[in-house]
Amino acid sequence: MSKFLKIVAGAALLSATTAHAETGLGRVATPAEVAAWDIDIRPDGKGLPEGSGDVYTGEEIWLEQCSVCHGDFAEGTDRWPVLAGGFGTLTGDRPVKTIGSYWPYLSTVYDYVNRAMPFGNAQSLEPDQVYALTAYLLYSNDLVDDDFELSNENFLDVEMPNADNFFMDDRADTELPIFSQEACMTDCKDSVEITKRAAVVDVTPETEGGDETEEAAAVEEAPAPAETPAVEEAALDMALVAEGEKNFRQCKSCHQVGDGAKNRTGPILNGVYNNAAATVEGFRYSSDMADAGAGGLIWDDAELTAFLANPKDYMAGTKMTFRGVRDEADIAGIIEYLKSFPE
Amino acid sequence: MIDQFKGMKPSRRAFLRGAAATGVAAVGTKAAAEGEAAILNKQPWNQSLGAGVDEAPYGMPSPFEAGVVRKNVPWLTAESISSINFTPLHELDGIITPNGLCFERHHGGVAEVDPAEHRIMINGLVDRELVFTMEDLKRFPRENHVYFLECAANSGMEWRGAQLNGCQFTHGMIHNVMYTGVPLRLLLEEAGVKTEGKWLLAEGADAAGMTRSIPMEKALDDCLVAFKMNGEALRAEQGYPVRLVVPGWEGNMWVKWLRRLEVGDEPWHHREETSKYTDLLGDGQARRFTWEMDAKSVITNPSPQAPITHGKGRTVITGVAWSGRGTIPRVDVTIDGGVNWVEARMSGPSLDKSMHRFYYEFDWDGSPLLLQSRAHDSTGYVQPTKDQLRAVRGLNSIYHNNGIQTWAVNSDGVAENVEIS
């Protein structure tokens, strides 16, 4: 440790002398360039843009863009982060570290939502939307009432319950002295017993050996997907396509369509309509979906409608962590929109 | 017509089958007192010509090494875009990790950055806010250093007890490569850090917009803005075209696809330094800014994925050790669960904040073993047991687990991840 302290002390001296080295390399950034990239927010509010948003507005955006992964009430789906609740669990057997129970600063919520969310469509939200989502997350954690509006004006008034429970790394005092003592080399203990075994827990992925080869072979030998039935060229209902495009926004955090579409969390959806399931190259489908595709599942109106209404009900093993589309008319729109990307 | 055996790429399974057949043949021919088939029979590669140059303009490992790959643990994360895979430590030797085997940890997938369109900006509390192109960057004086990068969550799944059978999974969130880059200090000097500039925010260009706060002392000490690893351009999954190197400190701070450095007077307390990578202790309080990675080691062979297959007799134990505070002058090894220890033999360069390689050769009598290694770093720190760590930090911590690892090897040479008293 003493060596490290010396290094730090030496560096501190240097910091006082970082004058221009004058290599002339690089150029001065324009104010517009700095403004375009300098989006970070600090606990003291530095960086917050002007704006405001309330819980109700936040809920609308939440249900459309966030609940797919984080659940309608920020409770989290599958292994996506739980963002609400968990109060009183930090000293328990299963701590649930949420925005409410754990995060020390509200500025972190604004900063992260603004820079990295929604997953797959980062930095697409306007300041008012980020304020609204932040307000909704406070509400989900019972930290504000449902009529609360958050803005740059009242941002610093919000107190986070766990703010005082973080402290600076203290290993130099609490660990290094204990762990820097002479090590015993002979007759260090009287007996040794095995107390825990990984084999009992049994969570290691795949065993070593030929299993992979076998699986790969099995896939190759699987029956080819049924021939795509001839589709009659039907004219698209453009009004419905436009309606569907709006509803497809909730799909966009995981799926891409159109020119240059790539597989993301979900596969490319170009040509999905009336084609065999699980056939997009390069996407790793769940084994259930791959089996269904190999077994001849065709994404026609009926199948797509059933799947989109409640994906997990339709196919328990699907990787699509999405609550489903409640309104059948919305589903019809999404399908019509997908039809407009035949290739 | 030249007879080539090009394209004959045996699967791992075919290879194993072949090896078994050879073994049988050896026994058979020994009975005939002639010798081993591997010697007596001509092999195809003895007679036919192999592939010419340019068959693989970018070379790949032998097909017999096809199983040497990074692997992930699917149940750990919701899906692979924000996830982690693991370096196959049990298949490697020496201290350098090959570029294609360096573990990956992304928060928004691998950004595909066009270097011609990439810029690095320095803003905030500086005399001049600057923008550099990749070409500008390469006109600064460069340095070469070998450093380990360990994820703060390495061995995190093992905090409460033995979980995963394989050092790839228990310890594989680490790699060790030689970086070529520009000292961060030179870029900051070019911009002129103001006196009140005590902190630096490093930001990535990926869809996670990864950010971390770094104290100015460290930024001016040994950090690099690196564009090469092991001599070639950074791999896309390691931050191509440019990443931050923060020697000895937790991997999350080594921001990939680095695009911005902001100088400020206070830390930013962003997501990856509050919600994540903080150590929740038993009393509900949490340690933050646990930057330096404590000294740690692991035996890579034998281990659950690399059992002893040769039976009793001469046996090589090997492994790796590292410390975020310096070098590793010494590693101890025990084969009896820590009753008696011996000093292992260190081999290879001993570099500051780099991985070190150790060996211990002994005659195995075929009885069960409880293997452990214990690193000593250049500050005098001795790698603690997991129980010692839990006594200080409680059961709910996850990150920064540098406890001693135990492998139980049975009389067949099969190894299992265990904890012992």
Side-chain angles (χ1 to χ4, degrees):
Chain A
M1 188 59 197
S2 61
K3 184 182 174 188
F4 175 71
L5 283 176
K6 267 182 237 158
I7 292 169
V8 169
L13 284 177
L14 275 175
S15 76
T17 60
T18 45
H20 292 178
E22 303 294 346
T23 65
L25 294 170
R27 63 166 176 83
V28 172
T30 70
E33 288 173 335
V34 173
W37 278 8
D38 186 3
I39 59 168
D40 48 82
I41 315 296
R42 278 196 332 202
D44 60 3
K46 184 176 173 294
L48 279 174
E50 277 184 30
S52 64
D54 59 29
V55 171
Y56 284 118
T57 312
E59 184 181 27
E60 280 177 32
I61 306 167
W62 180 268
L63 291 176
E64 190 174 289
Q65 305 208 41
C66 317
S67 62
V68 174
C69 297
H70 295 295
D72 287 1
F73 306 101
E75 77 279 14
T77 66
D78 286 357
R79 291 181 205 94
W80 297 106
V82 180
L83 299 180
F87 294 98
T89 65
L90 296 186
T91 53
D93 198 35
R94 294 272 166 231
V96 180
K97 296 189 264 187
T98 72
I99 289 170
S101 71
Y102 195 65
W103 293 34
Y105 304 109
L106 187 62
S107 58
T108 313
V109 180
Y110 189 105
D111 178 85
Y112 186 71
V113 170
N114 183 49
R115 74 171 51 250
M117 292 288 124
F119 196 58
N121 194 21
Q123 301 188 15
S124 60
L125 298 166
E126 296 299 321
D128 286 353
Q129 294 179 298
V130 182
Y131 280 110
L133 283 170
T134 307
Y136 180 71
L137 283 163
L138 287 170
Y139 171 73
S140 306
N141 279 287
D142 295 325
L143 298 175
V144 297
D145 293 327
D146 58 4
D147 59 354
F148 179 73
E149 182 179 63
L150 182 69
S151 72
N152 55 305
E153 301 285 328
N154 66 359
F155 199 92
L156 297 184
D157 299 340
V158 180
E159 285 180 23
M160 299 299 277
N162 201 41
D164 295 334
N165 285 324
F166 285 78
F167 63 95
M168 198 61 187
D169 181 9
D170 65 347
R171 285 176 297 171
D173 301 321
T174 56
E175 294 189 8
L176 302 196
I178 314 174
F179 301 151
S180 299
Q181 293 169 15
E182 185 103 1
C184 173
M185 293 299 281
T186 50
D187 297 328
C188 302
K189 40 180 135 168
D190 296 330
S191 66
V192 183
E193 301 295 331
I194 291 178
T195 54
K196 299 186 176 83
R197 312 189 80 113
V200 175
V201 184
D202 191 23
V203 287
T204 309
E206 83 202 36
T207 47
E208 284 294 291
D211 293 356
E212 280 165 297
T213 324
E214 239 156 51
E215 264 176 34
V219 170
E220 275 163 30
E221 286 158 19
E227 284 290 303
T228 309
V231 185
E232 278 175 50
E233 286 291 320
L236 290 170
D237 176 345
M238 291 317 289
L240 194 53
V241 169
E243 196 61 32
E245 183 174 7
K246 267 191 260 163
N247 278 307
F248 189 75
R249 272 190 304 205
Q250 57 196 315
C251 318
K252 267 161 83 173
S253 50
C254 302
H255 292 285
Q256 297 192 352
V257 288
D259 288 343
K262 286 181 179 167
N263 289 328
R264 290 300 182 195
T265 308
I268 300 167
L269 294 180
N270 294 341
V272 67
Y273 178 74
N274 251 349
N275 265 311
T279 50
V280 172
E281 213 166 293
F283 186 76
R284 289 170 61 180
Y285 291 93
S286 65
S287 51
D288 282 11
M289 187 62 82
D291 290 348
L297 171 62
I298 303 293
W299 286 126
D300 58 17
D301 282 290
E303 299 290 348
L304 267 180
T305 302
F307 183 54
L308 292 178
N310 194 328
K312 290 278 179 194
D313 267 8
Y314 179 88
M315 185 181 289
T318 181
K319 284 166 93 170
M320 189 152 111
T321 50
F322 177 55
R323 70 182 190 284
V325 181
R326 279 156 212 174
D327 189 337
E328 211 156 297
D330 289 348
I331 295 179
I334 291 171
I335 293 176
E336 197 71 2
Y337 178 65
L338 288 174
K339 282 186 199 169
S340 71
F341 297 93
E343 300 282 325
Chain B
M1 176 85 195
I2 299 170
D3 187 17
Q4 289 195 336
F5 69 99
K6 109 180 184 187
M8 198 191 82
K9 288 184 177 153
S11 68
R12 185 177 172 79
R13 168 158 293 255
F15 171 63
L16 291 173
R17 213 163 32 224
T22 309
V24 172
V27 173
T29 49
K30 255 183 202 156
E34 282 182 18
E36 206 177 352
I39 296 172
L40 297 178
N41 297 347
K42 292 186 178 70
Q43 304 285 2
W45 55 85
N46 300 142
Q47 298 190 290
S48 312
L49 300 173
V53 297
D54 285 348
E55 175 73 11
Y58 193 100
M60 295 294 286
S62 158
F64 293 97
E65 300 295 319
V68 182
V69 291
R70 299 179 287 216
K71 287 182 181 171
N72 78 354
V73 176
W75 57 261
L76 275 179
T77 47
E79 53 79 71
S80 66
I81 288 174
S82 181
S83 188
I84 185 130
N85 63 16
F86 301 85
T87 304
L89 294 175
H90 60 295
E91 299 278 11
L92 303 178
D93 215 318
I95 65 165
I96 295 293
T97 315
N99 288 343
L101 295 177
C102 291
F103 84 94
E104 303 172 81
R105 194 333 178 195
H106 317 306
H107 294 74
V110 178
E112 287 174 23
V113 177
D114 177 352
E117 298 298 317
H118 190 70
R119 301 289 181 273
I120 297 175
M121 179 187 289
I122 301 182
N123 72 306
L125 298 175
V126 289
D127 297 334
R128 296 183 300 171
E129 297 187 314
L130 294 176
V131 173
F132 302 102
T133 62
M134 286 304 296
E135 194 176 34
D136 294 334
L137 189 63
K138 290 173 183 177
R139 293 168 70 191
F140 282 92
R142 292 170 219 173
E143 291 185 9
N144 295 294
H145 296 278
V146 177
Y147 293 123
F148 77 83
L149 181 162
E150 183 183 19
C151 178
N154 199 19
S155 312
M157 294 87 78
E158 304 293 310
W159 185 263
R160 282 179 180 233
Q163 275 222 84
L164 291 160
N165 258 325
C167 69
Q168 179 168 19
F169 304 115
T170 58
H171 289 74
M173 295 185 201
I174 187 167
H175 54 66
N176 198 62
V177 308
M178 177 176 283
Y179 295 96
T180 305
V182 175
L184 176 55
R185 176 177 53 83
L186 297 183
L187 300 184
L188 292 171
E189 283 175 355
E190 192 70 25
V193 175
K194 292 189 167 153
T195 327
E196 62 270 33
K198 297 297 176 201
W199 289 84
L200 189 69
L201 184 78
E203 182 181 75
D206 60 325
M210 177 57 62
T211 43
R212 284 296 301 255
S213 305
I214 297 165
M216 189 58 70
E217 291 83 353
K218 180 68 174 176
L220 296 174
D221 178 18
D222 57 1
C223 292
L224 292 177
V225 175
F227 41 86
K228 296 277 163 90
M229 59 192 290
N230 291 334
E232 64 177 358
L234 292 177
R235 291 291 168 90
E237 67 269 29
Q238 304 299 341
Y240 179 86
V242 62
R243 85 173 306 164
L244 194 61
V245 169
V246 189
W249 289 21
E250 60 185 11
N252 181 255
M253 305 177 82
W254 300 46
V255 172
K256 299 190 283 191
W257 312 289
L258 179 69
R259 81 167 190 184
R260 194 167 66 94
L261 297 158
E262 180 175 348
V263 177
D265 56 354
E266 284 175 32
W268 281 259
H269 295 290
H270 278 181
R271 178 184 185 254
E272 315 302 329
E273 51 204 18
T274 53
S275 166
K276 309 291 176 188
Y277 305 111
T278 46
D279 302 322
L280 177 60
L281 304 193
D283 62 0
Q285 303 248 316
R287 252 187 211 154
R288 64 189 160 101
F289 297 145
T290 338
W291 297 311
E292 301 145 293
M293 300 306 289
D294 292 317
K296 185 167 172 180
S297 68
V298 65
I299 291 173
T300 55
N301 306 79
S303 63
Q305 296 161 290
I308 302 174
T309 52
H310 53 59
K312 55 181 145 182
R314 206 62 182 160
T315 300
V316 175
I317 289 175
T318 186
V320 283
W322 59 92
S323 168
R325 296 193 182 86
T327 59
I328 301 287
R330 170 181 159 194
V331 175
D332 303 328
V333 167
T334 176
I335 60 172
D336 61 11
V339 179
N340 296 295
W341 297 79
V342 286
E343 279 194 39
R345 180 171 63 84
M346 308 301 296
S347 176
S350 173
L351 302 167
D352 187 42
K353 303 180 183 74
S354 161
M355 210 178 243
H356 291 60
R357 172 64 59 173
F358 65 87
Y359 298 94
Y360 173 62
E361 297 86 3
F362 75 114
D363 287 314
W364 183 39
D365 62 6
S367 60
L369 305 169
L370 289 171
L371 301 179
Q372 294 181 329
S373 61
R374 180 172 68 190
H376 299 244
D377 78 11
S378 48
T379 70
Y381 180 98
V382 183
Q383 184 183 2
T385 63
K386 287 163 78 174
D387 281 336
Q388 281 179 297
L389 285 176
R390 288 188 285 239
V392 177
R393 302 184 198 168
L395 285 178
N396 286 339
S397 196
I398 300 168
Y399 304 106
H400 308 104
N401 175 10
N402 67 315
I404 289 174
Q405 173 65 45
T406 312
W407 306 126
V409 179
N410 69 17
S411 53
D412 294 328
V414 174
E416 186 194 346
N417 177 9
V418 302
E419 285 197 26
I420 58 174
S421 57

